[in-house]
Amino acid sequence: MTAYLLRRVLGLVPVLIGVTLLIFFLTRVIPGDPATAMLGQRAAPNLVQRLRTDLGLDRPLFVNLQKAQETGDWRDFFDSQYFSFMAGLLRFDLGRSIYTLIPITESLRHRFAATFELTLAAMVFAVAIGVPAGVFAATRRGTLADTAMMLLALSGVSFPVFWLAIIMIYVFSVTLGWLPPSGRLSVGLSLEPVTGIYVIDALLRGQGRAALDAARHLVMPALALGSIPLAIVVRMTRSAMLDVLGQDYVRTARSKGLSERRVVRVHALRNALLPVVTVIGLSFGSLLSGALLTETVFSWPGIGRWVYDAIAARDYPVIQGGVLFVAVMFAIVNLLVDMTYALIDPRIQYA
Amino acid sequence: MKKLVTALLALAFLGLASAQTLVYGTSGFPSSLDAVDSQDGNSLVVSSQITERLVDFEPGGTDLVPGLATEWSANEDATVWNFVLREGVTFHDGTPFDAEAVKFNIDRWNDPNHPYSGRDQGKTFVPWGWVFGGPIGEGNLIQEVSVVNDHEVQITLTKPAPFLPALFAAIYFQFSSPTAIMENGVAYGTPSVGAVGTGPFKFVEWVEGERIVLERNDDYWGGPAQVEQVVFRGIPEPTARLAELQAGTIDIAVLLSADDLATIENDPNLKAVIPETELNVGYIAMHQATEPLDNPLVRQAIAHAIDRDAIIEAFYGGLGVPAQGFIPSTMFGQPEPWPYDYDPERARELLAEAGYPDGFSVDFWYMPVSRPYYPAPQPIAETIASYLAEVGIEANLQTEDWTTYLADYQTGKFPMYMLGWNADYADPDNFLMTFFGPTAPNDLGWDDAEVRDMLQQARQVADPDVRAALYSEVGNAVAEAVPSIPFAHNRTLNAVRANIDGWIASPLGYSSVSLHSVSKAE
């Protein structure tokens, strides 16, 4: 297992270098650059020129052959935008946003914690409701309850997140006044961050009121974001359960006289969970990067919105830092999923 | 159980916080509180509560009033200006506001080699280039700033500028404490430092992407503000901003969608706030590099073919007005009213006269983002296309990413396109020079040296009547040649809770003037 882990982690290195190359060049393939984005309509040629120099955009992208030839110093060959980015990366320095001049690592800490909190809440919601619902539907296959459950799951996938979010805001905030419409914490409350995950931080600091307030802010975004994985988890659990319930060993377990409850929970569910865990892992990864709509509607200061705005502004360091970070997280989640397999299914061996 | 009830009761009142806290919902997060290094309304509305300008606009209007400077005067040809500074003013950190501080700030913006310009670390001062041409050596309007005495500076220009005070009134040119800039370097303006100015509110805290907290400056030269604290929250979706306002979790919501006017008017807890005039204009440009748009008759035909009033009626929620020219109607230098009424019959005649009796086909580019002057670009473009189709012109709708759009319109790639403008300062120069000045040959394919001369001339004469005459002449020349069709001016919709008083929306598109006089009743 240790050797396997080590191999997997080392295997990530070339993958991540590939990712940096991809991000770096794809970002620059988009027409326009930060200078044209910042100057907008008033991009007089002399202003563009000065800004490009100020921002270091006039340096070569990949290698600086010309400078190396001029100076005769081979190190100048690497005096380029890509290698500066990589050199920073080695020091865990992702640079500053071109627009705000805020260091990327500082923003990342804040933004990622927000997205992570939201994604985690959404996944907990999806799994806590989705797995039991899927089991419920599978064990009552063909009944009205099953059909109803599937219809509900289908609508979960079909409702646009944006629409669902706006409806929730109108119903629960504007009309009923139960939940705050957006943001993470009410005005008037403040919280010294520890992990950046507000609900946890407030509990750690013993601020019950802030914890409750943060949790209340989390409810609607988590429901909106969780609606799609919920539907997927329900359907996945149901079909995996149906598969397993038809297997010989389940029949054996039943014929041994075990209670139906024990058959379902221990013998069937454990085996059915394997594909479900994969789906959960993949959804988690994609939610981390794809929470954009939810973050926008609920003014949630997460990574999705941040990177989205950066793309519109051609804020290269933010795009690079943000996407790279999400890629790393995605890789880690995948690794965790693979390891979870072993815990669920002892037949899976790592060598 | 009792504890739970208490907790729930406390929660019910959470949103209200203290009555002395004013919560302001903006459309997004600031990029920087170093005003002249930022260029978006969301930043400037926050920084302008902390840092102030030499010259200000009258609240809600466009007339100049004293700011940190109390008087100004120029020599005869408007190349040397003297500004007398307000006395007894200090920055929030205790640094005196004096002539040295003014010189420090302007030099920092204007001189690329200034030790605290921070350009090598990423400060860009983009708006300085927009308004003042560029830093020293690159189109600079300002040659030198010299200290006359503690409370007077002299500014020498490279060429005459009779409207210099209006330039300094542009919202970007806010003065910061030199001490704070020297101490913090590149971090000045970022969340960790904020801004240090002379304004009615002091910076307290900025939680990135969530909120910015300011507190009242009790020593403000204009007397302390009405509210103790201001909290800015960035809420990108207009629907969510309105929902927050309805729920009472914010007190001011700016830049709402025009469709929501009825909702606001029917809600007794809310008040709509709409500026009397708005300094913006949307237009339809026709690039003359493309046939048959190089034919003035064809451009006139297009102008006659589009029913602007009907489109504005349909898409502007009652807040838009058809443009009579390229400068807002409240401004001096008005041309004759726009001569091209909706007249499809006349449009067909003109097309026939131009040699296109069966019409033609053209690519028409619309903006991918909405702006006050085009609140719904795509539907507006579709409607324009249907009007054009009526006279036989087939407009193929096209669009692309906004940054690319802004780079491409100047290359002649778009034969016909929609674009618009929000003013930086209230002067016709900011509109007409932008559209028909030196960039007109790129933007419109329109090369009219006479118009450009008039614009240059208007920049340099001090007599307001002569300037007005020149601008209206330019306006008439534009109307005759129709390189572009002025479409609409639009006013933005903002709203406040009913217990908020004294809030004035700015016509300059930044949605707020100072919050100094805003009060909040219990």
Side-chain angles (χ1 to χ4, degrees):
Chain A
M1 182 80 180
T2 320
Y4 168 78
L5 238 168
L6 200 69
R7 222 173 44 232
R8 281 290 305 266
V9 172
L10 283 179
L12 283 181
V13 173
V15 171
L16 291 178
I17 291 180
V19 169
T20 61
L21 276 168
L22 262 180
I23 301 168
F24 185 86
F25 287 104
L26 286 183
T27 325
R28 281 156 181 81
V29 167
I30 322 174
D33 62 16
T36 48
M38 287 168 94
L39 289 164
Q41 245 159 301
R42 288 163 271 203
N46 69 321
L47 296 179
V48 178
Q49 194 50 46
R50 134 87 39 204
L51 195 54
R52 290 180 61 87
T53 315
D54 283 349
L55 298 174
L57 297 170
D58 51 354
R59 290 162 58 211
L61 278 190
F62 196 56
V63 290
N64 200 343
L65 184 62
Q66 200 185 352
K67 187 167 174 193
Q69 277 173 344
E70 273 167 22
T71 61
D73 187 340
W74 62 269
R75 277 170 301 187
D76 285 333
F77 185 68
F78 297 104
D79 179 30
S80 68
Q81 296 185 47
Y82 178 73
F83 281 99
S84 308
F85 165 51
M86 289 306 279
L89 211 55
L90 288 178
R91 299 190 306 268
F92 292 101
D93 175 7
L94 291 167
R96 288 170 183 277
S97 155
I98 285 176
Y99 256 84
T100 65
L101 297 179
I102 303 170
I104 309 286
T105 43
E106 216 168 88
S107 296
L108 256 181
R109 202 180 312 135
H110 190 74
R111 302 273 176 176
F112 178 69
T115 298
F116 189 73
E117 180 172 33
L118 173 58
T119 310
L120 199 64
M123 282 317 288
V124 166
F125 161 69
V127 172
I129 308 281
V131 171
V135 173
F136 180 86
T139 52
R140 284 162 189 75
R141 181 182 192 181
T143 64
L144 196 64
D146 179 27
T147 317
M149 202 69 87
M150 283 307 99
L151 258 175
L152 214 69
L154 186 67
S155 40
V157 190
S158 328
F159 288 147
V161 171
F162 201 77
W163 178 84
L164 195 64
I166 298 269
I167 295 290
M168 279 200 288
I169 291 179
Y170 265 90
V171 173
F172 296 113
S173 303
V174 176
T175 312
L176 297 170
W178 290 354
L179 292 168
S182 70
R184 290 184 79 189
L185 206 61
S186 293
V187 167
L189 286 178
S190 67
L191 190 58
E192 193 70 31
V194 188
T195 59
I197 297 172
Y198 280 11
V199 177
I200 294 176
D201 289 359
L203 290 174
L204 285 177
R205 299 207 177 265
Q207 291 174 253
R209 212 175 94 145
L212 203 55
D213 184 68
R216 276 159 42 89
H217 277 87
L218 197 53
V219 175
M220 287 196 294
L223 290 185
L225 186 62
S227 65
I228 288 176
L230 169 68
I232 297 170
V233 168
V234 172
R235 294 178 67 89
M236 204 63 209
T237 312
R238 179 179 177 272
S239 65
M241 277 300 283
L242 286 177
D243 248 18
V244 172
L245 285 172
Q247 299 281 328
D248 287 347
Y249 63 84
V250 171
R251 210 170 307 142
T252 312
R254 281 200 178 116
S255 60
K256 280 198 312 191
L258 291 179
S259 72
E260 183 63 19
R261 172 180 274 242
R262 194 169 160 77
V263 170
V264 170
R265 290 226 176 142
V266 178
H267 292 258
L269 183 58
R270 192 175 170 128
N271 289 294
L273 274 183
L274 214 57
V276 178
V277 167
T278 313
V279 166
I280 293 171
L282 289 177
S283 310
F284 192 75
S286 60
L287 286 189
L288 271 182
S289 51
L292 172 62
L293 285 181
T294 315
E295 288 179 356
T296 303
V297 186
F298 292 104
S299 317
W300 196 266
I303 226 165
R305 178 79 200 181
W306 182 56
V307 172
Y308 175 82
D309 288 341
I311 292 172
R314 308 287 190 273
D315 196 337
Y316 293 157
V318 172
I319 306 174
Q320 283 161 194
V323 176
L324 184 64
F325 189 79
V326 171
V328 171
M329 284 301 128
F330 206 90
I332 292 175
V333 169
N334 265 326
L335 193 62
L336 291 177
V337 169
D338 288 356
M339 281 159 51
T340 319
Y341 281 5
L343 295 179
I344 297 176
D345 187 348
R347 284 172 306 177
I348 294 176
Q349 295 276 317
Y350 295 107
Chain B
M1 188 62 202
K2 202 173 166 193
K3 251 187 178 168
L4 187 71
V5 172
T6 323
L8 284 176
L9 275 178
L11 274 177
F13 292 102
L14 263 185
L16 305 173
S18 144
Q20 287 305 315
T21 297
L22 184 74
V23 189
Y24 187 114
T26 64
S27 66
F29 316 110
S31 61
S32 172
L33 294 185
D34 189 353
V36 74
D37 197 41
S38 65
Q39 39 191 300
D40 57 299
N42 292 320
S43 300
L44 294 158
V45 72
V46 180
S47 58
S48 63
Q49 311 303 328
I50 306 169
T51 45
E52 298 181 289
R53 292 163 280 162
L54 287 181
V55 183
D56 210 335
F57 293 108
E58 147 210 49
T62 55
D63 289 341
L64 298 180
V65 294
L68 286 174
T70 50
E71 292 167 44
W72 45 86
S73 56
N75 65 350
E76 202 171 314
D77 66 352
T79 51
V80 179
W81 284 80
N82 279 46
F83 287 82
V84 178
L85 309 177
R86 199 174 285 281
E87 293 190 34
V89 176
T90 50
F91 290 101
H92 300 149
D93 61 1
T95 308
F97 170 79
D98 55 15
E100 285 296 344
V102 169
K103 180 176 166 53
F104 179 92
N105 274 277
I106 299 179
D107 284 352
R108 174 176 177 249
W109 306 331
N110 196 38
D111 178 2
N113 300 316
H114 189 270
Y116 295 99
S117 85
R119 278 178 165 87
D120 51 339
Q121 290 167 287
K123 296 264 177 189
T124 54
F125 308 119
V126 161
W128 184 259
W130 289 341
V131 178
F132 287 97
I136 291 173
E138 291 164 49
N140 56 315
L141 175 62
I142 291 189
Q143 179 67 51
E144 202 191 355
V145 182
S146 47
V147 172
V148 178
N149 59 46
D150 270 5
H151 298 291
E152 190 172 346
V153 289
Q154 185 169 78
I155 299 177
T156 313
L157 309 183
T158 54
K159 49 185 179 246
F163 53 106
L164 185 75
L167 301 186
F168 274 110
I171 191 158
Y172 317 105
F173 307 118
Q174 304 172 16
F175 287 78
S176 296
S177 158
T179 320
I181 289 167
M182 289 190 269
E183 271 172 13
N184 296 293
V186 72
Y188 183 79
T190 66
S192 56
V193 176
V196 181
T198 55
F201 294 96
K202 298 193 262 194
F203 175 82
V204 176
E205 175 195 41
W206 174 357
V207 183
E208 204 193 325
E210 275 180 55
R211 62 177 182 275
I212 293 181
V213 182
L214 311 182
E215 68 176 18
R216 177 163 71 194
N217 169 16
D218 289 322
D219 302 324
Y220 184 56
W221 56 264
Q226 301 279 322
V227 292
E228 281 167 7
Q229 206 183 41
V230 181
V231 176
F232 287 90
R233 289 193 44 206
I235 306 165
E237 265 304 298
T239 13
R241 281 202 293 284
L242 181 60
E244 293 266 3
L245 192 72
Q246 288 176 303
T249 43
I250 61 177
D251 299 311
I252 297 175
V254 301
L255 305 172
L256 297 170
S257 138
D259 310 336
D260 291 327
L261 183 57
T263 312
I264 296 164
E265 283 175 340
N266 291 330
D267 189 331
N269 296 318
L270 308 183
K271 289 190 286 197
V273 181
I274 301 161
E276 266 179 51
T277 156
E278 190 84 61
L279 298 188
N280 62 38
V281 61
Y283 55 85
I284 304 165
M286 292 167 287
H287 203 290
Q288 298 175 21
T290 320
E291 261 181 79
L293 297 175
D294 55 346
N295 186 331
L297 295 177
V298 170
R299 299 198 297 271
Q300 290 174 4
I302 291 176
H304 273 303
I306 301 166
D307 188 348
R308 298 184 304 160
D309 302 69
I311 298 175
I312 292 164
E313 170 95 30
F315 295 107
Y316 287 68
L319 301 174
V321 282
Q324 295 306 316
F326 284 84
I327 53 177
S329 55
T330 49
M331 209 168 251
F332 71 91
Q334 290 294 326
E336 304 286 316
W338 188 242
Y340 306 97
D341 297 333
Y342 174 55
D343 188 348
E345 205 40 56
R346 178 85 189 113
R348 280 187 211 103
E349 280 169 28
L350 283 164
L351 280 178
E353 203 180 318
Y356 298 92
D358 303 324
F360 59 92
S361 147
V362 64
D363 284 349
F364 179 31
W365 292 71
Y366 64 91
M367 295 159 44
V369 293
S370 76
R371 285 291 182 269
Y373 43 78
Y374 279 129
Q378 190 182 350
I380 291 174
E382 283 163 358
T383 317
I384 291 172
S386 74
Y387 278 114
L388 293 177
E390 265 174 49
V391 299
I393 300 170
E394 186 197 345
N396 311 310
L397 293 180
Q398 311 257 14
T399 193
E400 63 185 354
D401 158 271
W402 182 227
T403 298
T404 321
Y405 191 99
L406 288 179
D408 280 347
Y409 88 92
Q410 307 170 49
T411 64
K413 176 179 169 185
F414 307 160
M416 250 181 100
Y417 60 92
M418 286 160 78
L419 204 60
W421 183 253
N422 279 312
D424 291 313
Y425 50 92
D427 193 281
D429 178 80
N430 193 232
F431 288 86
L432 298 178
M433 195 57 139
T434 309
F435 308 141
F436 308 112
T439 63
N442 302 331
D443 302 351
L444 302 166
W446 191 44
D447 202 352
D448 189 322
E450 209 180 318
V451 164
R452 286 205 298 279
D453 278 351
M454 284 193 281
L455 287 170
Q456 281 300 350
Q457 228 181 306
R459 262 198 165 188
Q460 301 183 356
V461 290
D463 185 342
D465 292 336
V466 178
R467 290 191 75 211
L470 281 165
Y471 285 130
S472 68
E473 210 174 315
V474 168
N476 292 335
V478 170
E480 201 185 312
V482 219
S484 175
I485 301 167
F487 196 80
H489 308 294
N490 192 18
R491 295 175 299 160
T492 49
L493 173 62
N494 314 286
V496 297
R497 296 285 298 174
N499 61 339
I500 300 298
D501 265 315
W503 188 67
I504 299 167
S506 159
L508 280 153
Y510 298 103
S511 301
S512 185
V513 292
S514 170
L515 298 172
H516 180 244
S517 58
V518 177
S519 65
K520 182 173 176 176
E522 292 292 333

